[in-house]
């Protein structure tokens, strides 16, 4: 009650609180008649019989905006409640009117919904009051970071545990560390980083890869889900071997890479990534280019 009566320009309320505090919310509304109602995850309001849907729809804002990535979760009538709140009657004055116009009836006593009709009419009406934003339109918000976790298994896990245990034992046994000892331990630490990236490198430019490493699986999944929408993807790596490996793995997507010491070749690779749309790099994902970039003084927080 104190929060509702406090002076604020923006009030953030979840649907459960709106339902539980509806009486207090209605009292607040009497003093704030010309307000804007914004509902995120609006597909949660698809059922007009649900209490939380009724609580939100019972409000009387001057303007309403409903946002969702899945406006229709299961059936076309999922969109009726939010559409009707935004523009009353646009899909019919009631859910029953909507069903009589757009649903096919049959089954028991001819009352069961067996299909739908006039779906283009629904799209036409909703186009007047809705805006669709796709990934390729908005790209990514660079301020958003998403952490992903995975589990090492099989030979990868065995190699990690062996080097980790060796390093731990040596650190516990060493009394005074010499410069040589520190360097030796740092090499083992570097090996642990490499194993979690899915490979082990015996010497520069060469690496042995573990089968089915989780980071590679995550990359495969990410590229499959997003590349077609965003058009380009940049992968940053702390190590050089993954650069060669990933460039070969994603060659069908027009992959190019740059790393230290490439000189003019790096400029050419960057140009291809930024500009080129030739048939040479056409793939199943419609000529989307892809770049893998290795730097040795990496300032990014996460590595492959």
């Amino acid at each position: 009650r104190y929060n509702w009566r406090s002076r604020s320009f923006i009030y953030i309320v979840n649907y459960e609180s709106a339902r539980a505090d509806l009486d207090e919310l209605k009292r607040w509304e009497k003093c704030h008649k010309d307000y804007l109602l914004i509902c995120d995850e609006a597909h949660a309001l698809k059922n007009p019989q649900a209490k939380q849907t009724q609580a939100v729809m019972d409000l009387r804002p001057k303007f309403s905006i409903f946002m969702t990535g899945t406006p229709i979760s299961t059936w076309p009538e999922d969109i009726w409640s939010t559409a009707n709140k935004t523009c009353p009657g646009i899909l019919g004055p009631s859910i029953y009117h909507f069903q009589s116009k757009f649903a096919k009836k049959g089954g028991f006593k001819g009352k069961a919904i067996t299909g739908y009709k006039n779906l283009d009419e629904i799209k036409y009406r909703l186009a007047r009051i809705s805006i669709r934003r796709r990934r390729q339109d908005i790209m990514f918000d660079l301020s958003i970071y998403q952490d992903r976790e995975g589990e090492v298994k099989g030979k990868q896990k065995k190699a990690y545990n062996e080097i980790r245990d060796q390093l731990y034992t040596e650190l516990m046994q060493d009394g005074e560390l010499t410069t040589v000892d520190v360097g030796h331990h740092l090499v083992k630490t570097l090996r642990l980083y490499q194993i979690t990236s899915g490979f082990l490198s015996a010497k520069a430019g060469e690496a042995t890869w573990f089968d089915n490493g989780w980071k590679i699986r995550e990359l495969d999944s990410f590229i499959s889900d997003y590349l077609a929408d965003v058009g380009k993807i940049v992968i940053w790596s702390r190590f050089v071997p993954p650069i060669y490996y990933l460039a070969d793995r994603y060659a069908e997507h027009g992959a190019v890479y740059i790393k230290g010491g490439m000189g003019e070749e790096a400029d050419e690779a960057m140009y291809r990534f930024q500009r080129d749309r030739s048939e040479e790099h056409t793939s199943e994902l419609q000529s989307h280019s892809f770049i893998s970039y290795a730097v040795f003084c990496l300032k990014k927080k996460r590595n492959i």
Side-chain angles (χ1 to χ4, degrees):
R1 180 172 297 181
Y2 171 79
N3 290 332
W4 281 118
R5 295 181 180 180
S6 63
R7 289 188 176 184
S8 301
F9 184 73
I10 298 175
Y11 294 80
I12 301 176
V13 187
N14 60 30
Y15 295 129
E16 292 77 10
S17 297
R19 173 187 172 183
D21 298 340
L22 183 58
D23 291 340
E24 194 68 35
L25 181 54
K26 295 294 288 185
R27 281 192 285 269
W28 171 90
E29 190 177 48
K30 291 180 180 179
C31 301
H32 304 78
K33 294 182 179 180
D34 295 335
Y35 70 94
L36 167 65
L37 174 67
I38 302 177
C39 295
D40 194 15
E41 302 294 343
H43 51 270
L45 306 173
K46 65 182 181 180
N47 183 2
Q49 306 302 323
K51 295 296 184 181
Q52 71 177 19
T53 303
Q54 293 177 355
V56 174
M57 299 309 163
D58 196 36
L59 299 174
R60 295 293 179 267
K62 186 173 184 179
F63 303 101
S64 298
I65 298 176
F66 294 92
M67 302 182 297
T68 176
T70 53
I72 298 178
S73 304
T74 308
W75 314 113
E77 55 261 41
D78 291 348
I79 198 67
W80 181 84
S81 294
T82 52
N84 191 65
K85 183 65 176 177
T86 306
C87 187
I90 191 169
L91 293 179
S94 69
I95 187 65
Y96 306 106
H97 183 277
F98 174 90
Q99 291 175 345
S100 66
K101 182 174 180 60
F102 299 107
K104 298 178 181 178
K105 298 294 185 69
F108 181 70
K109 294 185 179 181
K111 295 183 178 180
I113 296 177
T114 59
Y116 294 90
K117 57 186 179 181
N118 303 326
L119 295 181
D120 288 339
E121 177 69 15
I122 296 177
K123 295 179 182 178
Y124 173 76
R125 296 188 183 191
L126 292 179
R128 297 160 48 194
I129 61 170
S130 61
I131 299 175
R132 181 187 181 193
R133 302 294 287 169
R134 299 172 297 177
R135 286 195 188 99
Q136 62 257 44
D137 299 325
I138 62 175
M139 297 300 288
F140 288 117
D141 184 345
L142 299 180
S143 66
I144 296 176
Y145 293 88
Q146 182 184 77
D147 294 326
R148 298 196 178 199
E149 297 181 357
E151 180 182 0
V152 294
K153 299 179 180 179
K155 293 181 179 180
Q156 185 181 12
K157 182 177 181 179
K158 181 179 179 181
Y160 184 90
N161 289 339
E162 288 179 354
I163 296 180
R164 180 200 60 189
D165 294 343
Q166 290 176 14
L167 178 60
Y168 178 79
T169 301
E170 292 171 359
L171 288 173
M172 291 298 100
Q173 291 176 348
D174 285 335
E176 296 182 1
L177 295 176
T178 66
T179 303
V180 175
D181 293 331
V182 171
H184 179 69
H185 297 329
L186 288 176
V187 169
K188 279 190 168 58
T189 303
L190 183 65
R191 293 287 184 266
L192 292 178
Y193 279 120
Q194 290 180 347
I195 292 173
T196 58
S197 294
F199 75 99
L200 266 177
S201 178
K203 55 184 178 179
E206 297 183 8
T208 300
W209 286 85
F210 296 100
D211 294 335
N212 207 27
W214 75 268
K215 286 191 176 183
I216 299 300
R217 295 199 307 271
E218 285 289 331
L219 278 176
D220 288 345
S221 175
F222 186 89
I223 289 171
S224 176
D225 291 342
Y226 292 100
L227 184 57
D229 287 333
V230 302
K232 297 181 182 181
I233 293 176
V234 178
I235 295 181
W236 300 79
S237 174
R238 177 178 181 177
F239 303 106
V240 174
I243 297 307
Y244 301 134
Y245 178 81
L246 295 174
D248 289 339
R249 188 178 187 87
Y250 303 124
E252 64 179 288
H253 305 315
V256 293
Y257 68 85
I258 56 179
K259 64 180 185 66
M262 289 183 64
E264 293 183 359
E265 293 180 2
D267 296 333
E268 295 175 0
M270 180 64 72
Y271 179 82
R272 282 179 52 191
F273 175 65
Q274 294 177 335
R275 304 292 182 186
D276 196 5
R277 285 292 184 272
S278 66
E279 294 182 1
E280 177 185 354
H281 308 301
T282 300
S283 69
E284 294 179 359
L285 296 181
Q286 301 175 355
S287 300
H288 297 304
S289 293
F290 169 90
I291 186 171
S292 190
Y293 187 24
V295 291
F296 298 106
C297 299
L298 193 62
K299 295 183 178 179
K300 296 289 182 181
K301 292 184 178 180
R302 296 194 307 280
N303 305 313
I304 296 175

